[in-house]
Amino acid sequence: MGILEVKNVGKRFGGLQALGDVNLSVAERTVHAIIGPNGAGKSTLLNCLVGKLIPDTGSVMFDGQSVLGRRPHEINQMGISRVFQTPEIFGDLSVLENMMIPCFAKRDGAFELNAISSVMSQKDVVERARHMLDEMNMADKQGMHASSLSRGDKRRLEIGMCLSQEPRLLLLDEPTAGMARADTNNTIDLLKQISEERDITIAIIEHDMHVVFSLAERITVLAQGTPLVEDTPDNIKGHPKVREAYLGETQTAA
Amino acid sequence: MFGLTKRDTTLLLVVAVLTIFAPFILNPFPEGSAMAQFNAGYPDLMQRLVIFGIFAIGFNILFGLTGYLSFGHAAFLGVGSYAAIWMMKLLTMNVIPAIMISVLVAGLFSLLVGWISLRRSGIYFSILTLAFAQMSYSLAYSVLTPITGGETGLQPKVNDPRILDAALTEGQNPRANLFGLEMGTSYEMAVGGWIFTFNAGYYIAAIVMLLAFYLSIRIFRSPFGMMLRAVKSNQQRLNYTGLNAKPYTLAAFVISGMYAGLAGGLLVAMDTQVGAERMFWTASGEVVLMTILGGAGTLIGPVLGAGFIKYMENIVSKINKTVLEQWFAFMPDGIEDFFITIVYPFVGKGWHLTLGLLFMMVVIFLPGGLVQGGQKVAGLFKRKKPVDDKPDGKTTPAE
Ligand SMILES: Nc1ncnc2c1ncn2[C@@H]1O[C@H](COP(=O)(O)OP(=O)(O)OP(=O)(O)O)[C@@H](O)[C@H]1O
Ligand SMILES: [Mg+2]
């Protein structure tokens, strides 16, 4: 049994069947990529995992527990962190503060009325946030307003924020989109290192095949809301169905 | 000092000095001079300046930090006032129990209102709070008349029970006091042409205001304050980072409700009366104006905004035609009339017009309020150092 078990999940938006009948099993401590043409339903699937959407049918189990019906912060506290397709950070806060918030969430849980002591006196959190920024090569930017970061830096910050929580399952929705080549390679190295060193499972959605084939141990191809195939990267590369799905991309996207 | 950074300590000390010397600062013109009507150094107005400062400081914790715009905070001020006056009727004219109960009752009421209103955000939240406040207002006028005194309002009466106080002798009136020190006690100091008034009630309200201000600085700089700013910045990210935004916003709502109740209690401590109009929606709107005018989300802004509006309400509104005639008397007749005709609509009863124009100009040209204006002026005098590269890496959004 995988750490994440998605069974018969379906989701319909009005007349559009965004997810048909999705079955997916992600094994613990692996990197599992989900690929597919635009509009295939990849982000919708992630939304069903983190409590943003409730699927019409099916079940989602994380580590033997159902996530359906739980609220986003509860699911996160179970150990699932998500990086969004468009960077979601706290634009009005400094980079350091951005990094401290997940550290507080990890230390204090979903709510803590800590209204008198100053933020900077929380040495453990400050330390941890600085360390994390170091690891993301962003230490020099800690005083900046997060909204003034470049798109690639916003992404890296968001990835760092998720990693600082030490999630058991990390969901990445196109984490390298908008990054320069060098940053993309740094991110690949970082994710590789993390997945080797830590007790972490990664599910990654990515259009950049270089990223996919550098990281993934298993790949699921999703097209029009249904998984076409699931296999190892080597087998996926030459798979006729995959080629077909990608060649037909312009049609499915329309 | 006091667990604050150097910068915040300086700010606190400046505010403390200004409030302590307010009787001088607000009375710059000698008695009887043409400018004397711009003097604001009389007890009633000075009390209002600091009390509405407290109201706005609290409102800013909700609106300035979380961005949730409540249009019903006057309800908490009103409820606090009613609670305080009942303490004075039933228990004692000492202001301490009155003020404490006003905070408590306003806190409980805001817990209820916040619990329900915070199910929605944005404009729907604002409408819900407005609806609650207007409901409270109409209830106070109608069915709750036995508790609120309806249209006449409430005042301590000679024959109230007041179980802790000694019975009043013939002809004595119940007076609000702090262990015997009456709120109305004033000491007048005449220096040359000036008369400075030092009023017990003002100083008590001022000390409470300084404590409230200090507490708000601590809240702003705390992890809780940071979470509130995170709610405003990106609530979605907060939720997907494992934090439950609801209790954070609710706590902010209740804290600001308690500040409003404290202001309501202090108002009663000063003038020992309350009426339902205190809860009318314009009163809720006023604290919004104060906060935005001064600078929402800044530390000192709401205090400035409250002072500014209360000053105008009391001073500009008192300028009438006779006063204008005095001012422009030196001009030739035709020109004098011309100037009076132009200025007249903006003063006296027309002070709202002046306030409205000012508010529009601030929102358009200084979205950060008077604080931003001050920063701009300061920036003209010294070349501004970038705030971003401070060694602790913390940007300070609040002044
Ligand atoms: N909240 C929504 N309401 C209505 N339709 C939606 C909603 N979210 C997604 N869709 C539709 O569902 C389909 C799948 O969208 P989804 O975002 O999951 O695709 P994707 O595989 O992530 O694509 P991309 O690679 O472009 O990110 C699309 O046709 C999209 O328009
Ligand atoms: Mg997507």
Side-chain angles (χ1 to χ4, degrees):
Chain A
M1 255 246 315
I3 188 166
L4 180 70
E5 292 284 341
V6 177
K7 290 227 167 71
N8 307 108
V9 163
K11 182 74 196 175
R12 173 178 279 281
F13 297 115
L16 176 80
Q17 189 77 42
L19 292 177
D21 182 32
V22 178
N23 287 288
L24 178 72
S25 172
V26 178
E28 195 161 3
R29 303 203 60 169
T30 58
V31 179
H32 194 123
I34 301 165
I35 62 172
N38 291 111
K42 305 179 297 292
S43 299
T44 304
L45 178 61
L46 285 205
N47 287 344
C48 291
L49 307 184
V50 297
K52 191 170 182 177
L53 289 175
I54 298 172
D56 305 329
T57 57
S59 68
V60 179
M61 304 290 279
F62 171 69
D63 200 21
Q65 285 181 297
S66 174
V67 307
L68 298 187
R70 290 183 203 253
R71 298 203 284 153
H73 68 267
E74 295 169 331
I75 294 173
N76 176 279
Q77 292 282 355
M78 288 168 80
I80 304 181
S81 282
R82 172 177 181 183
V83 172
F84 285 81
Q85 186 165 353
T86 42
E88 293 281 351
I89 53 171
F90 303 106
D92 304 328
L93 273 59
S94 75
V95 170
L96 180 64
E97 286 174 322
N98 267 271
M99 197 54 100
M100 284 196 294
I101 286 176
C103 297
F104 274 116
K106 170 117 185 110
R107 192 189 75 175
D108 299 336
F111 174 69
E112 171 88 28
L113 188 62
N114 194 349
I116 297 301
S117 63
S118 99
V119 171
M120 289 327 241
S121 71
Q122 314 286 305
K123 290 281 186 295
D124 52 335
V125 167
V126 178
E127 274 311 302
R128 191 163 165 67
R130 289 221 167 106
H131 173 77
M132 215 46 228
L133 284 175
D134 252 353
E135 212 158 291
M136 304 303 296
N137 279 327
M138 295 186 79
D140 52 328
K141 303 195 170 81
Q142 59 169 307
M144 281 172 73
H145 250 257
S147 61
S148 60
L149 292 174
S150 70
R151 204 179 137 88
D153 278 345
K154 283 181 184 160
R155 275 249 119 77
R156 280 201 294 161
L157 176 60
E158 194 183 3
I159 295 172
M161 286 163 70
C162 287
L163 287 177
S164 74
Q165 295 195 295
E166 298 182 340
R168 299 192 50 212
L169 174 63
L170 178 64
L171 305 173
L172 301 159
D173 199 343
E174 303 188 25
T176 64
M179 276 189 194
R181 194 80 246 173
D183 280 341
T184 302
N185 288 334
N186 283 340
T187 308
I188 294 175
D189 291 344
L190 177 81
L191 291 174
K192 249 191 191 143
Q193 186 199 340
I194 298 273
S195 71
E196 277 158 20
E197 287 173 3
R198 293 198 196 162
D199 175 21
I200 193 173
T201 310
I202 298 177
I204 179 170
I205 293 174
E206 192 50 81
H207 282 297
D208 185 336
M209 287 305 139
H210 170 60
V211 179
V212 172
F213 289 115
S214 313
L215 285 171
E217 292 153 70
R218 301 272 316 164
I219 297 176
T220 297
V221 183
L222 203 65
Q224 288 171 303
T226 25
L228 282 182
V229 274
E230 192 203 308
D231 217 324
T232 60
D234 287 339
N235 291 344
I236 290 286
K237 264 179 199 162
H239 204 290
K241 267 192 178 178
V242 177
R243 300 187 152 218
E244 186 192 303
Y246 270 91
L247 285 176
E249 177 168 339
T250 41
Q251 280 161 11
T252 45
Chain B
M1 219 197 302
F2 315 121
L4 301 182
T5 61
K6 215 169 151 193
R7 219 178 134 122
D8 291 340
T9 312
T10 316
L11 181 68
L12 180 65
L13 289 179
V14 168
V15 173
V17 168
L18 289 179
T19 35
I20 289 167
F21 291 103
F24 294 110
I25 298 165
L26 293 175
N27 248 14
F29 307 111
E31 214 64 17
S33 69
M35 300 295 280
Q37 45 201 310
F38 289 107
N39 280 343
Y42 54 94
D44 181 54
L45 179 53
M46 287 198 298
Q47 289 164 2
R48 274 165 192 278
L49 292 180
V50 290
I51 291 172
F52 280 90
I54 294 172
F55 190 17
I57 290 170
F59 186 76
N60 189 41
I61 291 174
L62 177 69
F63 174 57
L65 290 179
T66 70
Y68 276 78
L69 177 55
S70 162
F71 258 110
H73 260 52
F76 308 127
L77 183 118
V79 165
S81 289
Y82 282 119
I85 209 115
W86 274 107
M87 275 293 116
M88 290 187 164
K89 280 168 135 354
L90 299 176
L91 213 60
T92 167
M93 288 304 287
N94 190 325
V95 297
I96 299 261
I99 290 171
M100 288 195 339
I101 206 82
S102 66
V103 175
L104 186 74
V105 172
L108 289 175
F109 187 48
S110 57
L111 184 63
L112 174 76
V113 174
W115 180 261
I116 297 169
S117 305
L118 284 167
R119 289 168 174 272
R120 292 282 170 273
S121 61
I123 187 79
Y124 301 101
F125 166 80
S126 303
I127 300 280
L128 281 172
T129 52
L130 177 64
F132 265 109
Q134 283 303 84
M135 264 155 46
S136 316
Y137 169 75
S138 345
L139 285 177
Y141 253 122
S142 53
V143 286
L144 291 181
T145 302
I147 309 176
T148 61
E151 272 178 57
T152 39
L154 289 177
Q155 272 158 335
K157 297 266 165 53
V158 179
N159 52 2
D160 287 330
R162 250 185 305 280
I163 48 179
L164 293 184
D165 288 359
L168 296 167
T169 53
E170 197 68 33
Q172 241 184 342
N173 282 324
R175 293 218 172 91
N177 63 73
L178 180 73
F179 305 109
L181 173 66
E182 285 179 10
M183 294 299 115
T185 316
S186 283
Y187 165 72
E188 291 197 344
M189 184 170 101
V191 183
W194 285 267
I195 295 177
F196 302 112
T197 315
F198 301 90
N199 169 260
Y202 166 70
Y203 278 105
I204 287 163
I207 289 168
V208 177
M209 194 274 270
L210 287 174
L211 289 174
F213 184 56
Y214 170 68
L215 187 64
S216 100
I217 302 181
R218 296 293 294 251
I219 291 175
F220 264 64
R221 302 296 183 229
S222 70
F224 174 66
M226 190 169 83
M227 295 304 172
L228 298 183
R229 285 191 291 128
V231 168
K232 182 177 181 176
S233 182
N234 190 342
Q235 190 160 345
Q236 157 144 315
R237 182 22 97 198
L238 197 69
N239 286 331
Y240 292 98
T241 307
L243 291 153
N244 190 359
K246 176 89 187 269
Y248 282 104
T249 43
L250 184 59
F253 193 91
V254 172
I255 291 171
S256 73
M258 289 166 84
Y259 268 78
L262 175 65
L266 278 169
L267 281 177
V268 164
M270 299 306 146
D271 62 5
T272 62
Q273 54 158 337
V274 53
E277 74 289 341
R278 205 164 273 188
M279 305 208 269
F280 197 56
W281 67 270
T282 52
S284 296
E286 196 180 57
V287 74
V288 179
L289 291 193
M290 288 171 176
T291 309
I292 294 176
L293 188 69
T298 66
L299 284 170
I300 190 69
V303 185
L304 290 180
F308 200 83
I309 288 182
K310 283 292 151 191
Y311 180 84
M312 286 195 53
E313 177 186 317
N314 286 275
I315 303 294
V316 180
S317 66
K318 267 192 290 184
I319 302 172
N320 54 26
K321 211 155 204 157
T322 336
V323 177
L324 287 183
E325 274 162 10
Q326 272 174 24
W327 286 0
F328 297 115
F330 67 93
M331 293 177 171
D333 264 356
I335 300 178
E336 178 190 343
D337 287 345
F338 175 72
F339 270 94
I340 291 177
T341 318
I342 289 197
V343 177
Y344 187 65
F346 294 94
V347 296
K349 286 209 171 66
W351 77 274
H352 275 119
L353 191 58
T354 316
L355 179 64
L357 284 174
L358 252 160
F359 186 74
M360 277 166 57
M361 290 198 331
V362 163
V363 170
I364 293 168
F365 297 110
L366 296 171
L370 296 175
V371 167
Q372 192 196 3
Q375 282 167 345
K376 277 196 174 162
V377 172
L380 293 180
F381 286 101
K382 56 173 183 191
R383 282 189 73 81
K384 247 188 104 200
K385 280 186 290 180
V387 278
D388 281 342
D389 57 10
K390 289 203 316 194
D392 65 352
K394 202 166 133 41
T395 43
T396 15
E399 243 336 81

